[in-house]
Amino acid sequence: MTKLAIIVPCFNEEEILSQSIKTLSDLLKSLIKEKEISNDSILVFINDGSRDKTWEIIEKHHTKNPHIKGISLSRNFGHQEALLAGLYNTTADFYITIDADLQDDTSVIKEMIQNAKQGYDIVYGVRKKRDTDSFFKKHSALCFYKLMKLLGVELVSNHADFRLLTKKAVDTMSTFKERNLFLRAIVPLVGYKSTNVYYDRKKRELGTTKYPLKKMIIFALKGISSFSAVPLHLITLSGIIISILSLFLMIWAIIAYLNNSTIAGWTSLMSAITFFSGITILFMGIIGEYIASIFIEVKNRPLYIIDKTLE
Ligand code: UDP
Ligand code: MG
């Protein structure tokens, strides 16, 4: 039988948590009854340094229901870190991560489990439409996915952190030791067989978003800077282009001088500016290339991941 762990990060979620715990434990109960998952399956709530009654609510439900487990972090570490704390400190066959506000549709959880049983190690929850988002959130998200694609980062569009991972996938993910966490870009690097399930995302019923605009921008920038060295390569490229252009500019300045169509000092000044700006950007690009290599080295990602072997 398959042991399922549903991992729920919680940061100041006192308004909605009791309701979410009830929905999830009812779901767990029915999945156990239908023999989809084993009786020792669990819900794991990670308290990410909440300053309200979140942890007290988790404790209260834990005493009443043995399926409910809790992990409390010493302070607020952030959503991604809370997810890892849950994944790496729980043993199960299948792991599903979902936000505490249950905006993601819990009714596709059964479909996720069935897919995993058919041999998929990663099942992504993908939003069908974005009509519950504001105009700004919808379009900024779409631009972000396009930009990431341009920067060579593989992402599943319209997928956040609602997904199923098998034990094999979680174990492999734990070999990625990086500290700038952007899980939705790490998971595709894990590889293995993956599939999507589609759902409609609801509006948050109670409480407010824990991802205000500022946090969202920081998160997006982290996603770019920890997965793409393309901006650094762009410096080298522009250095080369500007050096070539400045060479032509210099030739033109000298020709103008020889034609006597300049005032004194203009040619030497022009030549110095074009020469040194070309060289400066080119040299910055060279430094950038080394930084790009260091960037890849320090991540220390696995060089290969073996899926199956025949002996
Ligand atoms: N969260 C967390 N730590 C944080 C911020 C958020 O654990 O520092 C959790 C939060 O409790 C929720 C999930 O991350 O379970 C996603 O947050 P939210 O639903 O507010 O984001 P949104 O849906 O608005 O993008
Ligand atoms: Mg939410």
Side-chain angles (χ1 to χ4, degrees), residues 99 101 103 201 204 209:
D99 291 350
D101 53 12
Q103 281 184 279
R201 186 168 155 115
R204 186 187 256 272
T209 177

Side-chain angles (χ1 to χ4, degrees), residues 9-11 13 48 76 78-79 99-101 103 137 201 204 209-211 215:
C10 312
F11 176 56
E13 297 286 8
D48 183 19
N76 179 245
H79 177 212
D99 291 350
D101 53 12
Q103 281 184 279
K137 193 152 184 174
R201 186 168 155 115
R204 186 187 256 272
T209 177
K210 308 298 177 281
Y211 266 106
K215 252 195 202 174

Side-chain angles (χ1 to χ4, degrees), residues 98-293:
I98 189 165
D99 291 350
D101 53 12
L102 301 191
Q103 281 184 279
D104 303 308
D105 189 358
T106 51
S107 68
V108 295
I109 286 182
K110 189 168 163 183
E111 195 185 334
M112 285 179 158
I113 296 167
Q114 287 166 346
N115 277 315
K117 283 185 178 168
Q118 280 165 19
Y120 292 100
D121 280 295
I122 302 169
V123 186
Y124 297 101
V126 176
R127 299 174 61 173
K128 280 187 222 159
K129 296 190 263 16
R130 277 192 167 262
D131 45 10
T132 51
D133 279 355
S134 67
F135 179 85
F136 174 75
K137 193 152 184 174
K138 183 170 161 180
H139 289 275
S140 59
L142 290 177
C143 284
F144 180 68
Y145 289 118
K146 282 207 183 106
L147 178 67
M148 289 298 263
K149 200 167 185 171
L150 274 176
L151 294 175
V153 185
E154 195 199 328
L155 280 186
V156 176
S157 283
N158 293 322
H159 158 73
D161 284 304
F162 178 37
R163 68 176 83 84
L164 180 148
L165 296 168
T166 59
K167 184 174 185 335
K168 178 170 131 187
V170 171
D171 287 347
T172 304
M173 207 167 93
S174 71
T175 63
F176 286 73
K177 298 290 183 198
E178 51 208 272
R179 314 190 58 81
N180 285 298
L181 291 177
F182 189 74
L183 294 179
R184 64 195 76 170
I186 296 178
V187 174
L189 295 180
V190 166
Y192 301 136
K193 247 176 100 172
S194 69
T195 184
N196 301 342
V197 296
Y198 297 90
Y199 69 98
D200 285 317
R201 186 168 155 115
K202 291 172 279 193
K203 274 208 158 76
R204 186 187 256 272
E205 278 176 37
L206 291 166
T208 49
T209 177
K210 308 298 177 281
Y211 266 106
L213 184 64
K214 189 176 149 208
K215 252 195 202 174
M216 226 162 75
I217 293 172
I218 293 172
F219 188 52
L221 288 177
K222 197 188 231 184
I224 296 171
S225 67
S226 55
F227 282 87
S228 180
V230 171
L232 290 174
H233 298 311
L234 285 180
I235 301 178
T236 317
L237 189 68
S238 47
I240 293 170
I241 293 171
I242 289 169
S243 293
I244 293 170
L245 288 180
S246 68
L247 195 72
F248 284 115
L249 216 68
M250 225 154 81
I251 294 171
W252 171 63
I254 292 168
I255 292 173
Y257 169 75
L258 294 175
N259 284 343
N260 281 331
S261 57
T262 64
I263 52 168
W266 181 81
T267 305
S268 52
L269 215 60
M270 205 55 191
S271 306
I273 291 172
T274 52
F275 178 74
F276 284 109
S277 40
I279 283 270
T280 309
I281 299 173
L282 185 64
F283 284 6
M284 266 162 61
I286 293 173
I287 296 172
E289 291 302 314
Y290 281 93
I291 294 177
S293 307

